[in-house]
Amino acid sequence: MATMTCIEDLRRRARHTVPKMFFDYAEAGSYAEETLRANRADLERIKLRQRVLVDVSRRDLATTIIGETVPLPLALGPVGLAGMQHRDGEIAACRAAQAAGIPFTLSTMSVCSIEDVAGAVDKPFWFQLYVMKDRGFARSLVERAAAAKCSALMLTIDLQVLGQRHCDARNGLSVPPEIKIRNVLDIATKPRWALGMLMGKRKTFGNLAGYARAGTNVNSLASWISTQFDPALSWKDVEWIRSLWPGKLILKGVLDVDDARLAVKTGASALVVSNHGGRQLDGAPSSISALPKIAEAVGSEIEIMFDGGIRSGQDLMRALALGARSCLIGRAYIYGLAAGGQTGVAQAIEFIRKELDVTMALCGVNSVREIGRQVIASD
Ligand SMILES: Cc1cc2nc3c(=O)[nH]c(=O)nc-3n(C[C@H](O)[C@H](O)[C@H](O)COP(=O)(O)O)c2cc1C
């Protein structure tokens, strides 16, 4: 790979490496993408406070996330179809995360199944659950995650119905891609991807094998989701999941203080302040603007995680300053995965780690545990 210096370099490389329909799938937000843009714009608006002549020679980025010791406050979030960005993409990303000592979350909508990933890595990973109407299937996913020794269950609670991404419909996103002239011409310009995929283990939704019909295009996938995902999902169902999964539970997709208070009552280990990377409710506030209120309201009762728009260690610093104990990244590692498989994901993590380290130094901070409002520049 040519010299890569930051997530944006990986993003540019990803654009040239994977078929357009999969790059767009990762890149896009729902509808007019207002919330997607707000995630980035609001992070950039937060300015960090430069401090000088503080002894910052003993910097320590280590902390814990839901009790797991990590060398930096970062985890890889659940991303559907990561295995279409690169051959066996979920395995590659999980290996990179584990080599870096941080958690990896496998999506329900992954290409490699829970068992595929468990068989290919040495350490436990986290599993993200979407609850389908067919509760028997949801239960079986939880049981499979337990059998695979997953160390946490992340229940996503902001996708009872699916926000539309216009580009997926326009591109005819399908898994695997349909043999259409437009796709064949595009894939012909991405030979490395095509060869890799040919050699890969799976080409469709690994966890749903035998449950969903494979090879459907996004319109039928979207309509499949609308028939399978449950708009009636409620806090009662979280109790039910809790009864099936006695281990650590993370609730992902909280953007409102009232919901955060309800999340505390479930006894979950953590909540993720998230708007699904701007892919669900368009017009919702940015994740970073929602974070301080939620952290203030419930931060002493439940561990606060954050995602949405993180592309650098500086962004990580901003989220930690406003009340997150740790952050998830989605697109930042997906660009790395698309650009260079396991190596690309490792690079994405390392860019963010180094940037956080330097940012801490330039803000006069020695430990991630010290990061708070004092690192934010006042207007
Ligand atoms: C391509 C893509 C697929 C995603 N799939 C899932 C998923 O299957 N389950 C889930 O809970 N969140 C999913 N998300 C949301 C991410 O977990 C995360 O909340 C979001 O990417 C954070 O924003 P960021 O990409 O700006 O870091 C997905 C995000 C992207 C970009």
Side-chain angles (χ1 to χ4, degrees):
M1 247 199 275
T3 305
M4 298 278 148
T5 59
C6 60
I7 299 295
E8 180 55 25
D9 284 351
L10 294 172
R11 180 180 165 277
R12 274 195 286 262
R13 172 58 64 92
R15 184 191 280 281
H16 293 297
T17 309
V18 300
K20 179 173 161 46
M21 70 166 67
F22 296 119
F23 181 79
D24 286 355
Y25 165 72
E27 186 87 327
S30 56
Y31 302 100
E33 303 189 329
E34 285 175 24
T35 298
L36 175 77
R37 285 191 296 277
N39 276 352
R40 288 290 313 135
D42 288 356
L43 271 167
E44 282 176 5
R45 246 192 296 277
I46 297 165
K47 297 301 170 206
L48 296 168
R49 183 171 167 218
Q50 171 178 305
R51 298 301 309 276
V52 296
L53 298 180
V54 179
D55 176 356
V56 287
S57 56
R58 300 173 318 279
R59 296 191 302 288
D60 179 9
L61 278 58
T63 183
T64 58
I65 308 181
I66 57 163
E68 297 180 18
T69 303
V70 286
L72 77 162
L74 187 72
L76 303 191
V79 170
L81 294 182
M84 297 310 287
Q85 303 289 347
H86 186 89
R87 149 170 69 118
D88 301 333
E90 291 87 4
I91 292 173
C94 187
R95 285 183 175 152
Q98 295 192 343
I102 65 171
F104 167 78
T105 321
L106 183 71
S107 164
T108 292
M109 308 303 278
S110 58
V111 172
C112 297
S113 69
I114 302 173
E115 293 77 13
D116 291 336
V117 179
V121 301
D122 321 321
K123 292 179 214 142
F125 53 93
W126 297 352
F127 180 67
Q128 174 265 327
L129 179 70
Y130 282 131
V131 177
M132 319 269 171
K133 270 185 197 156
D134 180 343
R135 295 301 151 88
F137 183 65
R139 178 197 288 268
S140 80
L141 283 172
V142 173
E143 286 167 357
R144 288 166 63 187
K149 306 217 164 12
C150 290
S151 54
L153 186 73
M154 183 181 284
L155 178 65
T156 298
I157 55 178
D158 61 3
L159 203 139
Q160 279 162 269
V161 297
L162 185 70
Q164 173 167 301
R165 290 179 300 271
H166 298 324
C167 65
D168 291 349
R170 287 191 198 115
N171 289 337
L173 174 69
S174 59
V175 184
E178 281 177 283
I179 317 249
K180 281 186 180 167
I181 295 278
R182 186 175 54 170
N183 295 344
V184 171
L185 290 177
D186 184 31
I187 291 171
T189 65
K190 315 281 176 1
R192 203 156 61 97
W193 177 90
L195 247 168
M197 291 311 290
L198 273 178
M199 291 171 353
K201 215 173 193 169
R202 292 195 190 268
K203 287 139 188 87
T204 186
F205 298 102
N207 292 324
L208 311 184
Y211 181 69
R213 263 175 297 122
T216 48
N217 72 25
V218 76
N219 293 320
S220 54
L221 178 67
S223 56
W224 182 81
I225 287 179
S226 70
T227 54
Q228 299 300 317
F229 283 44
D230 193 354
L233 198 71
S234 76
W235 290 101
K236 274 237 152 303
D237 298 297
V238 181
E239 270 174 42
W240 174 67
I241 295 291
R242 198 87 205 86
S243 71
L244 297 179
W245 178 267
K248 288 172 186 161
L249 179 71
I250 302 170
L251 298 180
K252 173 171 180 279
V254 174
L255 213 57
D256 185 272
V257 170
D258 290 347
D259 287 339
R261 293 207 171 95
L262 294 169
V264 169
K265 287 194 190 146
T266 65
S269 306
L271 66 80
V272 188
V273 176
S274 173
N275 53 31
H276 215 106
R279 293 163 80 84
Q280 282 294 97
L281 176 62
D282 196 32
S286 64
S287 297
I288 198 69
S289 68
L291 173 65
K293 291 169 243 172
I294 293 177
E296 242 157 64
V298 299
S300 59
E301 295 167 85
I302 189 167
E303 192 165 317
I304 306 287
M305 300 176 72
F306 170 87
D307 77 20
I310 292 196
R311 303 287 182 272
S312 67
Q314 288 83 347
D315 293 336
L316 192 53
M317 181 82 161
R318 291 166 166 135
L320 298 175
L322 294 182
R325 185 182 176 95
S326 64
C327 295
L328 302 177
I329 46 173
R331 295 177 182 88
Y333 87 84
I334 288 299
Y335 297 145
L337 181 65
Q342 182 177 339
T343 309
V345 178
Q347 281 183 310
I349 297 167
E350 186 56 12
F351 291 150
I352 292 177
R353 189 195 66 75
K354 277 195 187 145
E355 289 160 351
L356 177 63
D357 183 48
V358 170
T359 304
M360 281 168 54
L362 297 176
C363 290
V365 175
N366 270 301
S367 160
V368 285
R369 290 163 194 260
E370 284 170 31
I371 298 171
R373 294 279 180 136
Q374 85 281 10
V375 305
I376 305 285
S378 49
D379 302 322

